[in-house]
Structures are given as C-alpha cells and as structure tokens.
C-alpha cells in the first residue's frame, strides 16, 4: 500500500492542474454553444449570474469526470503492475493486460458502472474479441478472460457472457488481491485537497465574475436575459 500511496500523492496534482488549466482556457462562447438553453429556461433561471454559474458548473462537472476517470485508469494499471505485473495494453480499446492463475486478462477500465449506451458496450465487446483473436493466433492454447472493470459502483450480475463486469470493491480486489483497497484509496486521494481546491475556487470565482460581465454585455435585453439571442447563438443555422 505504501507504493500506491506514493503513486497517488505524486500524481494527484496532475488532476488538480488539468482541472485548473481547463478552467483557465475556457471561453464563454464555448459553454454557451455546448449546453442546452431550453433546459435552463425550463428551470426558470432569470439572472445573468445564476445562468452563467449553471453553465460553468455543468461544464466543469463533465470535465472533472473525464480528467479524474483518466487518473483512476492509470492508477488501476499501476496497482496491477505492482501485484500481477500488469501493463498498459497496446490493443485497441483495451486498457490493461495481465496474467494470473493460468488466465490472461484483457481489461477495459471505466469510471463507473453506467458508462455507456448499447452501441458503446457493443464496441467494447468487439474490441475484446479482436484482441482475443490476435492473442490466440500466436498462442492457440491461451485461456483469455475479458473484463470490464469499473472503479466505483456495484453490479449484482457480473457475468455478461462475453465478459465479466467487476465494479468497485470487486474490481480493485481483482487487480490487487486486496479486499480493502477500495477503501484504503480514499485517504491518500485527499492529499493537499483543501489547498488545491482553495486555489481552484479562487480562479473559479474570477472566471465566474468575468463570464457574468461578458454575458450581461452580450445577452441583456432591458436588464433581462435575451433568450432569443442566446438560442440563436446555440442552435441557429450557421451563416453560409
């Protein structure tokens, strides 16, 4: 666990830095074009500050999920490298490969259990089958098991036929042999969290104020939100 703690403490800053960088690079027009204006109108949002805050928070929530998901994927590969000599896979759509107890595992890592629609799940299964064909072409007798590993959550029916779906405790135990690892990860993830979040929200407040002023200057109609102009920017036809 000491190696895992050291890994987390030396890499968690990358999550905080990437989160702050995504905020600094953000432009108001980007989130105005990406988010659903009809939803915010239906929620009876009527002030510039409130609307901009909702837009900014929705954007950041999506960004944080992506950035932290990548951090957890890399952490899982590191954990498995320490216990079963696991490695990052070069196969399309496969994040981790390792062998134990006579079985070679192909693992696609996702943050949580509800990560994709039926088409995305189908694509994952296709990637598993392609990787299995390549492995068996060089080693016909190899026993291969495909696994969809989810870093949090639960799944009461892990056997999906073409693959196993292991979530939360089951996944972390699978790649580490440690039944408590899913709990033990929590403490080191909080390393310098308060300091980093205080720094982040200082920048967040500055951006929020800046975007609110910009929005008021561009989308104000008699002191109210100009919804028609906003919807045109978001959904109107592009000029030819």
């Amino acid at each position: 666990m000491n190696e895992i703690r050291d890994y987390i403490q030396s890499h968690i800053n990358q999550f905080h830095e990437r989160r702050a960088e995504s905020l600094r690079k953000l432009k108001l027009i980007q989130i105005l074009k990406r988010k659903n204006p009809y939803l915010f109108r239906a929620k009876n949002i009527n002030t510039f500050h409130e609307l901009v805050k909702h837009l900014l928070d929705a954007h950041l929530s999506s960004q944080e999920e992506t950035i932290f998901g990548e951090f957890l994927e890399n952490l899982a590969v590191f954990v498995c490298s320490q216990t079963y000599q696991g490695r990052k896979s070069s196969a399309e759509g496969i994040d981790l490969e390792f062998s134990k107890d006579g079985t070679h595992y192909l693992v696609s890592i996702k943050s949580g259990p509800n990560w994709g629609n039926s088409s995305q799940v189908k694509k994952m299964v296709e990637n598993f089958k392609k990787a299995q064909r390549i492995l068996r072409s060089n080693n016909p007798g190899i026993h291969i098991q495909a696994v969809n590993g989810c870093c949090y959550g639960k799944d009461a029916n892990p056997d999906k036929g073409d693959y196993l779906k292991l979530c939360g405790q089951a996944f972390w135990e699978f790649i580490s042999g440690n039944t408590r690892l899913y709990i033990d990860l929590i403490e080191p993830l909080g390393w310098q969290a308060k300091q980093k979040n205080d720094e982040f929200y200082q920048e967040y407040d500055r951006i929020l104020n800046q975007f609110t002023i910009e929005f008021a200057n561009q989308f104000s109609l008699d002191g109210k939100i100009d919804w028609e102009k906003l919807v045109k920017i978001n959904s109107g036809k592009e000029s030819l």
Side-chain angles (χ1 to χ4, degrees):
M1 184 62 200
N2 288 337
E3 293 83 0
I4 297 172
R5 182 181 294 105
D6 291 344
Y7 177 92
I8 291 173
Q9 291 183 352
S10 63
H11 287 79
I12 192 64
N13 278 345
Q14 294 176 12
F15 162 70
H16 294 296
E17 289 166 3
R18 288 184 62 192
R19 185 173 65 141
E21 185 66 15
S22 72
L23 181 62
R24 286 191 292 268
K25 289 183 175 180
L26 190 61
K27 304 295 183 183
L28 175 63
I29 195 66
Q30 291 177 310
I31 52 176
L32 290 178
K33 288 183 175 182
R34 291 174 183 168
K35 299 303 176 182
N36 186 348
Y38 305 107
L39 171 63
F40 296 119
R41 183 59 171 141
K43 292 173 70 173
N44 194 38
I45 295 173
N46 295 309
T47 67
F48 305 141
H49 179 273
E50 186 181 13
L51 178 59
V52 171
K53 189 175 189 309
H54 274 79
L55 287 166
L56 190 56
D57 288 349
H59 170 83
L60 290 175
S61 177
S62 176
Q63 286 288 298
E64 287 173 352
E65 285 281 346
T66 299
I67 294 170
F68 196 69
E70 292 173 7
F71 169 82
L72 285 177
E73 175 188 320
N74 291 330
L75 173 60
V77 173
F78 174 79
V79 167
C80 194
S81 75
Q82 298 297 296
T83 52
Y84 300 115
Q85 290 75 54
R87 66 185 187 278
K88 180 76 175 175
S89 177
S90 60
E92 180 184 0
I94 310 300
D95 301 306
L96 171 66
E97 285 190 52
F98 70 100
S99 297
K100 69 173 180 177
D101 301 329
T103 297
H104 189 79
Y105 292 95
L106 300 172
V107 187
S108 177
I109 303 172
K110 307 296 181 183
S111 290
N114 304 312
W115 57 268
N117 57 34
S118 59
S119 295
Q120 291 168 312
V121 172
K122 181 180 178 181
K123 178 62 176 176
M124 180 186 70
V125 172
E126 290 173 355
N127 288 334
F128 281 144
K129 290 181 177 180
K130 179 180 178 181
Q132 288 171 337
R133 285 195 301 270
I134 293 172
L135 284 170
R136 289 194 173 110
S137 68
N138 297 319
N139 189 350
I142 190 172
H143 183 250
I144 305 171
Q145 176 64 61
V147 177
N148 173 204
C150 302
C151 296
Y152 68 86
K154 299 182 179 183
D155 192 302
N157 301 294
D159 189 349
K160 306 301 181 186
D162 292 314
Y163 64 96
L164 297 178
K165 185 172 184 178
L166 303 179
C167 299
Q169 181 182 12
F171 171 62
W172 291 106
E173 182 178 353
F174 163 64
I175 61 172
S176 70
N178 183 346
T179 60
R180 275 193 52 87
L181 182 60
Y182 80 113
I183 295 173
D184 294 338
L185 292 174
I186 284 292
E187 187 273 328
L189 284 171
W191 190 71
Q192 292 189 336
K194 184 181 187 305
Q195 173 191 335
K196 295 298 181 181
N197 278 279
D198 286 348
E199 294 171 0
F200 176 83
Y201 279 104
Q202 287 180 13
E203 184 68 6
Y204 171 92
D205 289 342
R206 185 186 71 80
I207 295 293
L208 177 59
N209 289 335
Q210 177 184 314
F211 281 6
T212 300
I213 293 169
E214 288 182 29
F215 185 89
N217 288 336
Q218 296 179 50
F219 297 96
S220 174
L221 181 64
D222 298 327
K224 299 178 181 179
I225 295 171
D226 188 341
W227 287 102
E228 181 175 334
K229 185 177 181 181
L230 177 56
V231 171
K232 285 180 178 178
I233 287 289
N234 177 275
S235 302
K237 292 181 180 179
E238 297 290 346
S239 300
L240 300 178

